[in-house]
Every structure is written in C-alpha cells, then in structure tokens.
Amino acid sequence: MKDNYNGALQQALHSGFNATSTTDDVIKGIDLSGKIVIVTGGYAGIGLETVRTLVAAGAIIIVPARDVQKANSNLKGISNVTVAPMDLMDPASINAFAAAFLTAYKKLDILINNAGIMWVPLQRDKRGYESQLATNHLGHFQLTAKLWPALKEANGARVVNVSSFGHQMAPFNFEDPNFKERAYETLQGYGQSKTANNLFAVELDHRGKSVGVRAFSLHPGSVLGTDLGRVAPMALFQQMGTHDENGNIYPEVAARLKTVDQGAATSVWCATSPQLNDIGGVYCEDADVAELDEGNIIHNYDDPTSLRGVKPYAVDAANAQRLWTLSEEMTGISFPAN
C-alpha cells in the first residue's frame, strides 16, 4: 500500500471524469447502503450537495452544525440525515459531538471534513488561535482524532479533507502560525490552513493505512453559488481580476465557474470511488488525482480552469510530520492514528 509522501502518487489516474463531471456522474453504480457518514458543513454549498448525493446512494449521514436551526431548515426533506450541534472553534463541543456519536454508532465509514471559512478578518478562538487555522484544520484534526476508534472499526474507512487551490497562496508558517509576530493577511491565513488540510491527509494516510483508513484532500474547483466568500472583502476579488469596480463578477469568469453539483463531485469521488482503493494521501481535483505543480502550470485567477495542481510543500513528508506534532501540541491531543 503506497502513500503520497513527497507527492509520490500525484499523477492522474485517467479516471474518466473531468471538470464538468457532476456528483451524479461519479456516484453512478455505487451502493452506500448501511454506510455511516459524517459531513461537516453538510448543510450549505457543496457540503449540502454532497449529503444529497450520498443519501441517494443509501448512506446514513450525520451533519455536525454550528447553526443547528439553519442546518435543519436546509436539510428538510432529505431522509436519513441527523443534525447534531458542533462548533469547530470550540474544542469542548467537538469532544461532546464525538462522544455522542461513539455512543450511538460503532463504526464510521466516511468522514468528510468539508466545513470551512475563507478570507475573514482577524479573529481568534479562546486559545488565541487564528480562526481560519482553528476552523479549517485544528478543529478537523481534533474531530478525526476523537472519531478514530469508529474509523478503524469500519475496516476500510475514508477521511476526505476539502482543501482548495488556495493552498498555493501560502505554505504553512511553522514559526508563527497564529500571526502573533507578523501582520495579519487573511489570504496567508487561508492559504496555510488549506496547506494544512493537504499535509494532514498525507500524514493521516501514512499512519492510518495499516488499520484500513485512507485519507485524501481535494480542490472542489471555483464554484458559483456557495456562501464561502460571504465575508471576504470585495477588493480581494477585484484584485484577482474576477469582479468589476461595482462588485459584479465578470460574465466571462462566471461562465467558467463550476455549478454546485460539479463542485461537490470530487468530494464524492474521493469518498466513494473504487479507483482509489489502493492509494491514499493524494490531493485531487476534477474527480482525479492532481498534478504536482513545480512551477510548470500557469495560473490566471480570471480563468478558474487554470487554477490547478498541488504545490510540493503541501505534500512534503517532513512538513506533514512536523504539522502532525504541532497539531497535537496545539490541541492537547495525543493522536497516534494506528
């Protein structure tokens, strides 16, 4: 069983899917009857579409939610879904959710760490940790650790981290991850949190594969119709050339964006595809394994189809091991993952 240390497996599988593939395309022929699934943030955007698709394939889904009322409203009418309270910025709530889950269920077949925040002003949790790092990585690290007994029990579980091309905005800053000594830049905070998603998948897969747990990270693509960037300053979008001076997205840019069901396709593919049975730790996009970006890919923010590839620093073995140790220290959790 190979792992993805230093991007060893970052080569396309020629899966047969592409940027226009939808969740219905990638789930075709897959039966999830009896499978237990958790999708964080599974009540909005691509998370909600992921839940819809997996339920239709027979899965039983638990959606941990910071806003339970909103989650219940958005998920109304979808069968076999249970909403439970959890806030990724609140370690006690993560522990409580995990404890309740382990009481109710013996196994967890699929954990999709989908929830996230992007380009927010500087905020800190009670521990003083920067909010994008706390929400996007540390909360999911803690959740995965607490749910580990159930993941092992599944005998073939998968953990899927919804990352982003945004990891290319910044490597992980091990010297000052919480912006205590440097000026806060939200793009840097977001970028390092997404790099952390990738590195976490690399090391989790390396440690977990011996007990039947494989891990993946992914870029969903640039998706029209989600609320992920709802608090981001318009100036950032204008700086990237995607919006005009009035804050309207350029029609030619909008035409290149994915629909929500296209955006969720890679999450569903990573969670369920038999094409990934024998590999793990890889960063995926467009329902396939992404190419290693060693400066050979030209990126233009006004052309979302060019935003692809994974940086070597985001699949580096030493970085993955170092982040694991730091995450244990920052969360106060021992997580051997074996």
Side-chain angles (χ1 to χ4, degrees):
M1 290 188 292
K2 298 177 181 177
D3 63 26
N4 195 37
Y5 267 2
N6 301 317
L9 301 175
Q10 288 297 153
Q11 296 156 357
L13 299 180
H14 306 292
S15 66
F17 302 114
N18 56 43
T20 64
S21 298
T22 67
T23 51
D24 287 341
D25 295 329
V26 301
I27 200 69
K28 196 170 293 180
I30 293 174
D31 181 9
L32 298 179
S33 298
K35 300 292 186 183
I36 309 299
V37 182
I38 291 174
V39 183
T40 69
Y43 57 100
I46 65 170
L48 177 56
E49 181 61 29
T50 299
V51 168
R52 282 199 188 104
T53 304
L54 299 182
V55 164
I60 298 164
I61 301 190
I62 299 89
V63 175
R66 184 168 51 86
D67 188 337
V68 171
Q69 187 174 356
K70 178 181 177 181
N72 281 321
S73 175
N74 289 0
L75 291 162
K76 190 175 182 181
I78 304 177
S79 60
N80 294 323
V81 178
T82 303
V83 175
M86 190 190 79
D87 183 348
L88 286 164
M89 289 262 284
D90 180 357
S93 83
I94 297 171
N95 290 346
F97 169 82
F101 176 87
L102 294 174
T103 299
Y105 301 93
K106 288 185 177 180
K107 64 160 188 165
L108 174 59
D109 297 285
I110 300 168
L111 170 60
I112 303 181
N113 291 321
N114 165 84
I117 57 175
M118 181 178 80
W119 302 358
V120 298
L122 178 59
Q123 301 167 32
R124 300 187 185 277
D125 68 9
K126 292 176 182 176
R127 301 167 294 189
Y129 299 158
E130 189 270 330
S131 64
Q132 294 182 101
L133 177 60
T135 300
N136 298 349
H137 170 60
L138 292 173
H140 284 127
F141 180 89
Q142 179 179 343
L143 179 64
T144 307
K146 294 297 181 180
L147 294 171
W148 193 248
L151 287 163
K152 286 201 297 185
E153 194 67 29
N155 191 27
R158 292 189 185 182
V159 177
V160 178
N161 292 340
V162 178
S163 181
S164 169
F165 174 80
H167 81 273
Q168 296 219 7
M169 294 175 176
F172 195 87
N173 189 310
F174 288 99
E175 283 67 44
D176 187 19
N178 290 301
F179 295 86
K180 293 292 181 69
E181 307 298 330
R182 55 185 171 137
Y184 184 64
E185 294 182 29
T186 191
L187 295 183
Q188 294 286 304
Y190 181 70
Q192 77 160 1
S193 75
K194 296 287 108 178
T195 291
N197 290 156
N198 301 348
L199 293 172
F200 179 30
V202 169
E203 186 63 15
L204 182 65
D205 187 76
H206 175 77
R207 294 176 180 231
K209 65 183 187 294
S210 64
V211 292
V213 183
R214 304 308 301 255
F216 306 90
S217 61
L218 67 101
H219 170 46
S222 301
V223 184
L224 191 64
T226 75
D227 58 359
L228 181 59
R230 60 191 177 277
V231 300
M234 180 50 61
L236 289 178
F237 293 103
Q238 292 166 332
Q239 181 183 323
M240 291 176 180
T242 60
H243 289 64
D244 64 22
E245 66 273 11
N246 297 317
N248 300 310
I249 190 168
Y250 290 112
E252 60 271 25
V253 175
R256 298 189 188 110
L257 296 178
K258 290 188 177 187
T259 60
V260 172
D261 60 340
Q262 291 170 337
T266 306
S267 296
V268 172
W269 184 76
C270 286
T272 64
S273 175
Q275 295 173 307
L276 293 169
N277 281 351
D278 298 321
I279 67 171
V282 287
Y283 171 90
C284 302
E285 59 193 13
D286 298 336
D288 206 336
V289 177
E291 181 182 358
L292 199 62
D293 181 4
E294 299 178 283
N296 50 305
I297 302 173
I298 298 172
H299 307 298
N300 297 303
Y301 279 93
D302 60 354
D303 179 8
T305 62
S306 73
L307 305 182
R308 61 185 185 86
V310 62
K311 283 292 187 185
Y313 61 66
V315 289
D316 179 83
N319 286 347
Q321 292 161 6
R322 189 177 180 187
L323 178 66
W324 191 280
T325 300
L326 180 64
S327 301
E328 287 185 313
E329 291 171 359
M330 292 180 73
T331 58
I333 294 170
S334 174
F335 183 15
N338 51 37

